[in-house]
Amino acid sequence: MKLSVPGAHRISGRRVRPGRISTRATTAAVAGLAAAGLLAAAAPAVSAAPAAPPVSTRPAQSTPAAPAALAAPDIPLANVKAHLTQFSSIAAANGGNRAHGRAGYLASVNYVKGKLDAAGFTTSVQQFTSGGATGYNLIADWPGGDPNQVLMSGSHLDSVTSGAGINDNGSGSAAVLETALAVSRAQLQPAKHLRFAWWGAEELGLVGSRYYVNNLPAAERAKISGYLNFDMIGSPNAGYFVYDDDPTIEQTFKNYYAGIGVPTEIETEGDGRSDHAPFKNVGIPVGGLFSGAGYIKSAAQAQKWGGTSGQAFDRCYHSSCDTTANINDTALDRNSDAAAHAVWTLSANSSGPSGEVFETVDDVTIPDNGPTITSAVTVSGRTGNAPAALKVGVDIKHTWRGDVVIDLIGPSGTVYRLKDSSGNDSADNVIATYTVDASSETANGVWRLRVQDVAAQDTGYIDSWRLTF
């Protein structure tokens, strides 16, 4: 499902800048609206706020800006091709294919699993039945990362019965495997949890991936922040196609190719025909790469990518000639590197789309030396928990800011002290951005800014406040 981009909304007669999601606040508290897989300049922090039971209290933290994402390593083409050689040998030893229900498929699973086990992954094999035969999905989790923010990468491991399936889809399977092994070599510690998958029985109608998704509890599905699919990425007469699904994932791939000067096109030939479809159908953001199958390369495409116009991108698609000779090394190399780039880039930020803002601009009067008041912002459309560096921007107009006490209250009721009172601070207004470790909070729900004036002879109001994820 293509996600919408936050747009401008008008509330309370004020214009909200494009890119913000706004909600109407009230002066009273607003009611809340509220994998692991199947197998396996910020204000300084001050003392915690006194809060009415039963809510707990946690201080805000002064957190430095997150470092830039580490650059992905080059994925060695020789390593990827070595995996293809193994898949070819497995097929040759098992009736010429690696199809569902055949010995060659299970041998392929065991080969990939052995590599991952040796590299420190936690692997598990999920069984299902299709056409009277047992099928297998292989799932591999890399230790660490936010378990509520899971970035998955996958490919189907099965071939058709007519051949070894080296481009379709040994190429994607080998690239995903080598990317996972690169994660291990780098001992990567991403913000998100990384999960890799190799699906069975894709050639029979996405059976394995559909089984996995359909059997995930809703709470586990909600933890998957994105799924990246790699199916046929070494086509001999290659094109460079990017899935037109989630805009963030799509742009991540496009940025990589722009950086190496390779133009791309939107993928249409395989839309809905590969293992991203079951994820997309339940609302999980998806993206991926494809180098073409039976469609014919145009003259314009041959001019920008090379190759032969008037011929299929892969003349051996679903045929016995889909062997190790049926691979374009340049395409396989570029697409493997693009896969690693996406994994490194998209796993670096656990908070979801960077810079998404939820804001209210309703004015709320602050009583002079009176009770607390609250202003609410409702967050929706996020995945998993709030970030460890949630930005809370506050704009309060007040004639003596030292009298003002400010708290953020999360959807769980936890109170985060943003600002204490100070008898020595006689300046006007509180216009500041605070950083809160809210990683224990579910992102979606009602967040409240609680404000109190603790001394007499002042006037003030909340002008606006915002949460930046």
Side-chain angles (χ1 to χ4, degrees):
M1 179 176 66
K2 191 168 184 177
L3 302 183
S4 60
V5 177
H9 299 262
R10 291 183 63 85
I11 60 174
S12 303
R14 293 177 181 242
R15 186 173 182 273
V16 182
R17 291 193 295 273
R20 293 189 169 181
I21 296 174
S22 301
T23 91
R24 178 174 299 278
T26 64
T27 56
V30 179
L33 297 177
L38 290 174
L39 308 167
V46 291
S47 59
V55 299
S56 60
T57 302
R58 295 176 60 183
Q61 297 181 359
S62 178
T63 305
L70 293 173
D74 177 74
I75 299 300
L77 175 62
N79 291 7
V80 181
K81 294 191 70 176
H83 301 315
L84 295 183
T85 299
Q86 289 297 318
F87 292 148
S88 178
S89 298
I90 288 170
N94 291 281
N97 65 63
R98 302 180 300 104
H100 165 74
R102 308 293 180 91
Y105 179 74
L106 184 56
S108 299
V109 170
N110 290 336
Y111 168 75
V112 176
K113 185 176 186 299
K115 292 289 186 180
L116 296 164
D117 288 341
F121 283 83
T122 300
T123 63
S124 50
V125 176
Q126 180 185 35
Q127 294 188 18
F128 58 89
T129 301
S130 180
T134 300
Y136 306 92
N137 292 327
L138 173 62
I139 310 297
D141 286 270
W142 180 244
D146 183 353
N148 294 307
Q149 290 277 298
V150 179
L151 179 66
M152 286 193 72
S153 301
S155 60
H156 75 86
L157 188 55
D158 63 315
S159 73
V160 293
T161 57
S162 58
I166 297 304
N167 185 38
D168 184 16
N169 183 38
S171 62
S173 293
V176 172
L177 173 57
E178 193 57 32
T179 297
L181 296 179
V183 166
S184 174
R185 289 192 294 268
Q187 288 297 293
L188 187 64
Q189 297 181 343
K192 292 181 182 178
H193 180 77
L194 294 178
R195 180 173 301 148
F196 298 87
W198 291 261
W199 308 115
E202 186 269 358
E203 298 291 3
L204 302 183
L206 320 182
V207 178
S209 56
R210 183 177 291 116
Y211 183 87
Y212 176 84
V213 172
N214 288 348
N215 285 278
L216 273 180
E220 294 302 316
R221 289 183 187 173
K223 295 176 182 178
I224 301 176
S225 65
Y227 172 74
L228 313 179
N229 195 60
F230 303 94
D231 191 354
M232 299 183 67
I233 61 170
S235 300
N237 195 24
Y240 294 89
F241 299 100
V242 177
Y243 292 13
D244 181 24
D245 289 292
D246 177 69
T248 299
I249 298 173
E250 178 186 353
Q251 194 59 49
T252 300
F253 284 122
K254 286 183 174 180
N255 288 346
Y256 172 79
Y257 283 106
I260 62 172
V262 175
T264 61
E265 292 184 8
I266 297 303
E267 191 279 322
T268 58
E269 181 179 2
D271 194 24
R273 293 169 52 193
S274 193
D275 293 297
H276 62 292
F279 292 86
K280 179 179 178 179
N281 290 342
V282 297
I284 294 170
V286 301
L289 300 176
F290 179 63
S291 59
Y295 279 21
I296 302 302
K297 177 176 279 189
S298 70
Q301 289 171 329
Q303 183 175 12
K304 67 182 175 183
W305 290 327
T308 305
S309 65
Q311 290 186 3
F313 293 101
D314 183 357
R315 290 187 293 175
C316 291
Y317 175 56
H318 283 185
S319 299
S320 60
C321 59
D322 188 6
T323 66
T324 52
N326 191 47
I327 290 291
N328 181 312
D329 284 359
T330 300
L332 183 65
D333 190 21
R334 288 171 172 170
N335 285 321
S336 298
D337 288 341
H341 170 79
V343 168
W344 258 253
T345 301
L346 294 169
S347 68
N349 177 11
S350 66
S351 63
S354 176
E356 189 174 17
V357 176
F358 296 80
E359 179 183 43
T360 180
V361 295
D362 276 354
D363 294 348
V364 182
T365 300
I366 302 170
D368 184 28
N369 195 24
T372 62
I373 55 94
T374 60
S375 173
V377 164
T378 299
V379 174
S380 61
R382 302 289 298 178
T383 301
N385 283 18
L390 177 65
K391 303 295 184 183
V392 186
V394 174
D395 186 348
I396 294 175
K397 303 301 191 289
H398 201 271
T399 56
W400 190 293
R401 71 185 183 194
D403 291 351
V404 176
V405 178
I406 309 173
D407 297 314
L408 176 70
I409 304 177
S412 71
T414 298
V415 177
Y416 304 85
R417 173 55 51 87
L418 303 180
K419 178 186 175 301
D420 257 323
S421 61
S422 172
N424 298 322
D425 188 356
S426 62
D428 294 342
N429 305 330
V430 182
I431 302 175
T433 299
Y434 304 92
T435 302
V436 172
D437 181 357
S439 57
S440 64
E441 298 276 353
T442 300
N444 292 334
V446 178
W447 296 75
R448 298 176 177 85
L449 191 72
R450 185 172 69 185
V451 181
Q452 185 176 22
D453 180 345
V454 297
Q457 301 181 351
D458 311 305
T459 59
Y461 63 95
I462 300 174
D463 184 275
S464 65
W465 71 281
R466 69 201 62 81
L467 298 171
T468 303
F469 285 79

